[in-house]
Amino acid sequence: MKVLVRVDAYEEIALGHLSRCIELGKALMQLQNEVVFLSYEDKSSKSRLEDSGIDFEVVSFKINDDQFVDKEMKILESFSTSIDILIVDSYNVNKKYFDEINRLFPKIVYLDDLESDYDNVDMVINPSCTVTQNSYISKNVLCGMEFIILGKDYQNREKKVIYPKTRSILVTMGGIDHFNLSSIILPILEKIDKEIEVNIVIGPYYENIKQIKNSAKNSNLSINFFEGLPNISSVMLRSDIAISAGGFTLYELSAMSIPTIGIALWDNQKTNVECLSKKDAIIHLYYHSDERFKDELSVQLQKLISNRELREKMSIASGKAVDGNGVDKIAKEINRLYG
């Protein structure tokens, strides 16, 4: 079976969509399928695709861009004679887009996070805890947290050791730190525990690196920086707890059973943090620009750092919430239905 994956990554949306599609592509290839990606030409995403070992082509326009949609359809049409399934992962799509590609490809699979329902999609995949089979018109719906797409590093993890004292914390805002939270967090942490080691991940689209490092210079904390990592599982392993934006990384941390404060930075991240919070897997916050947010974050950090029993309960709950095997389940189901 030949599969084309249409997905983009760039500064505004970061790497979450691309990352999960790469893992799905790898899982499909392990089942003897041929996979090729068509993606927007972005430096960081191109590097990720090169590292993945998956065939890909890049284009100079983003998915369903009004100015280039005719050009996009011509390129997709050039693939259509050899492709059995098109997989689409983007928020920037609509009914008209799916109408157009539906005439080109035998089967269309859509990775959705926003409960967007289209009548011309053969399969919908949505890992949210808020949706059901009845949420979509599509005949085949894979929904729920058992279908979260993660890489092999996050599967079948050993039980996390929870130490009496919190020794280290991971700080990650995903691909881009829009609100400079990495800098804001440091003085808050220092007031709570000057001995805690801080592991800060610098994403590929960070525009505030100078601000973060200046904040680190003014801090008495022991701070490590990690840049250019294809995935951050190694940094997770050396961290006792974490603060994370509410995107893709939050599921990776849960699969690693790491007690985490998850911050919804955007409306499309609220479902992620709410689903995990309902399962007691994370402490959730909603970012707002009011100064009170710092106080809210400080209270929750103090609670997590000082309470071993809470960390133990969260670690167990997060490991149960996300088993890390969703990608294999999806790949096998795609194979079963369309292979």
Side-chain angles (χ1 to χ4, degrees):
M1 185 166 62
K2 295 182 178 180
V3 181
L4 174 65
V5 181
R6 183 72 178 100
V7 61
D8 290 339
Y10 45 88
E11 186 174 315
E12 289 81 7
I13 64 170
L15 291 164
H17 296 276
L18 179 67
S19 296
R20 68 180 179 183
C21 284
I22 286 174
E23 296 306 331
L24 179 55
K26 288 178 181 178
L28 287 166
M29 288 169 66
Q30 287 183 342
L31 297 174
Q32 309 306 312
N33 299 295
E34 296 179 35
V35 179
V36 62
F37 275 56
L38 184 66
S39 297
Y40 174 66
E41 189 170 11
D42 170 85
K43 182 180 177 181
S44 295
S45 62
K46 190 174 180 181
S47 175
R48 287 286 178 96
L49 285 164
E50 287 171 344
D51 290 341
S52 73
I54 300 174
D55 291 336
F56 69 93
E57 291 187 22
V58 294
V59 290
S60 59
F61 46 83
K62 297 164 186 173
I63 293 174
N64 202 28
D65 186 318
D66 289 339
Q67 293 182 329
F68 300 100
V69 68
D70 290 341
K71 191 173 182 180
E72 179 178 5
M73 290 304 152
K74 286 181 181 178
I75 292 174
L76 288 171
E77 188 170 6
S78 70
F79 280 96
S80 63
T81 56
S82 61
I83 294 296
D84 301 302
I85 296 178
L86 173 66
I87 297 176
V88 178
D89 187 350
S90 174
Y91 297 156
N92 192 36
V93 290
N94 51 31
K95 185 180 186 302
K96 183 178 178 182
Y97 183 83
F98 282 113
D99 283 340
E100 289 294 317
I101 60 175
N102 193 50
R103 66 181 178 82
L104 299 175
F105 299 95
K107 299 294 179 183
I108 297 172
V109 174
Y110 180 43
L111 274 68
D112 176 46
D113 301 308
L114 304 178
E115 298 186 40
S116 303
D117 196 12
Y118 301 107
D119 59 6
N120 43 15
V121 172
D122 296 284
M123 174 185 284
V124 178
I125 302 163
N126 186 335
S128 169
C129 67
T130 65
V131 299
T132 66
Q133 297 279 335
N134 294 328
S135 301
Y136 295 97
I137 300 169
S138 177
K139 179 181 177 181
N140 298 303
V141 179
L142 305 182
C143 60
M145 295 178 69
E146 66 175 300
F147 295 109
I148 292 168
I149 298 174
L150 300 177
K152 295 296 182 185
D153 289 350
Y154 304 98
Q155 296 180 15
N156 305 313
R157 301 302 311 176
E158 294 181 1
K159 184 180 178 182
K160 176 76 175 174
V161 177
I162 304 298
Y163 295 97
K165 178 176 171 56
T166 302
R167 307 163 305 162
S168 57
I169 182 168
L170 166 64
V171 177
T172 172
M173 292 300 126
I176 184 168
D177 189 356
H178 285 281
F179 305 110
N180 194 33
L181 289 180
S182 302
S183 300
I184 291 169
I185 286 164
L186 292 178
I188 295 172
L189 280 170
E190 192 169 357
K191 286 182 181 179
I192 296 170
D193 188 345
K194 288 183 172 63
E195 295 181 1
I196 197 166
E197 180 182 63
V198 185
N199 300 316
I200 297 180
V201 174
I202 304 292
Y205 303 109
Y206 274 40
E207 298 173 339
N208 60 321
I209 297 174
K210 186 175 180 180
Q211 290 168 280
I212 296 170
K213 294 193 174 178
N214 282 339
S215 184
K217 285 179 183 177
N218 295 324
S219 174
N220 293 313
L221 294 164
S222 173
I223 301 171
N224 306 307
F225 292 99
F226 300 88
E227 301 181 49
L229 300 179
N231 77 64
I232 62 172
S233 60
S234 60
V235 189
M236 293 180 185
L237 287 172
R238 61 183 288 170
S239 305
D240 293 331
I241 63 173
I243 304 174
S244 172
F248 189 74
T249 305
L250 205 56
Y251 292 126
E252 295 175 337
L253 286 160
S254 293
M256 289 286 207
S257 299
I258 297 176
T260 298
I261 295 174
I263 305 172
L265 303 179
W266 312 102
D267 286 344
N268 65 351
Q269 294 182 347
K270 287 181 178 178
T271 299
N272 295 352
V273 299
E274 287 168 3
C275 286
L276 289 167
S277 179
K278 285 176 183 176
K279 293 180 179 290
D280 299 319
I282 66 165
I283 295 171
H284 76 280
L285 289 172
Y286 303 108
Y287 174 76
H288 53 85
S289 57
D290 192 290
E291 280 294 308
R292 289 176 299 170
F293 175 77
K294 294 180 184 178
D295 296 330
E296 293 167 11
L297 180 56
S298 178
V299 168
Q300 298 304 333
L301 270 170
Q302 175 72 55
K303 183 166 67 173
L304 187 60
I305 289 170
S306 63
N307 191 331
R308 182 186 185 183
E309 183 180 355
L310 174 64
R311 296 196 305 275
E312 286 178 333
K313 287 180 179 178
M314 288 176 64
S315 179
I316 293 168
S318 59
K320 288 181 179 177
V322 183
D323 66 10
N325 298 315
V327 68
D328 291 333
K329 296 173 188 174
I330 293 169
K332 288 175 182 176
E333 190 65 5
I334 289 174
N335 242 37
R336 184 185 72 82
L337 290 170
Y338 310 127

